[in-house]
């Protein structure tokens, strides 16, 4: 059976400050959540890589004092959903990726 074939509604949302430690903290929170979901090693590694990159990109976008980045991960039917929202003033920009399924910029 595919490790993500069952619907497991356990979405998690975290808020991290705009600083260089946030990507590491986001990855640690993801690893803890992924372990509780009993995800396989390949899924954990892929999700951690994607989350780390998106969070690192969001840190400089959260300009101004008191700005936070929001990180969400969930299992959505047969897919792992990783979302990162920055507190910047601009809107999302899509990379135009045609080979991957993205809902918005900053999600995978």
């Amino acid at each position: 059976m595919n490790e993500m074939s069952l619907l497991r509604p356990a979405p998690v949302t975290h808020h991290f400050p705009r600083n260089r430690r946030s990507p590491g903290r986001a990855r640690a929170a993801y690893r803890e959540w992924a372990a509780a979901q009993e995800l396989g090693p390949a899924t954990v590694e892929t999700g951690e890589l994607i989350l780390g990159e998106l969070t690192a990109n969001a840190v400089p976008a959260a300009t101004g004092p008191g700005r936070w980045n929001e990180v969400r991960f969930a299992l959505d039917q047969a897919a792992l959903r990783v979302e990162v929202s920055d507190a910047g003033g601009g809107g999302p920009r899509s990379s135009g990726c045609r080979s991957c399924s993205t809902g918005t910029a900053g999600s995978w």
Side-chain angles (χ1 to χ4, degrees):
M1 179 185 297
N2 183 326
E3 70 182 27
M4 291 189 298
S5 64
L6 302 174
L7 177 62
R8 295 183 232 171
V12 173
T13 301
H14 292 279
H15 294 92
F16 296 99
R18 180 186 176 254
N19 68 47
R20 60 190 172 99
R21 291 186 210 112
S22 290
R25 290 176 178 161
R27 288 191 306 270
Y30 168 75
R31 284 190 303 269
E32 183 178 318
W33 174 83
Q37 301 306 308
E38 300 178 350
L39 300 182
T43 302
V44 174
E45 184 177 334
T46 301
E48 187 175 357
L49 175 65
I50 292 165
L51 178 63
E53 290 296 316
L54 292 175
T55 307
N57 290 342
V59 168
T63 57
R67 295 294 189 129
W68 294 77
N69 293 318
E70 183 176 270
V71 174
R72 280 175 267 155
F73 21 89
L75 293 174
D76 184 11
Q77 294 182 6
L80 171 64
R81 185 170 187 86
V82 176
E83 299 175 355
V84 176
S85 302
D86 62 57
R93 284 181 268 166
S94 174
S95 65
C97 178
R98 296 189 199 296
S99 64
C100 56
S101 175
T102 59
T104 61
S107 326
W108 187 86

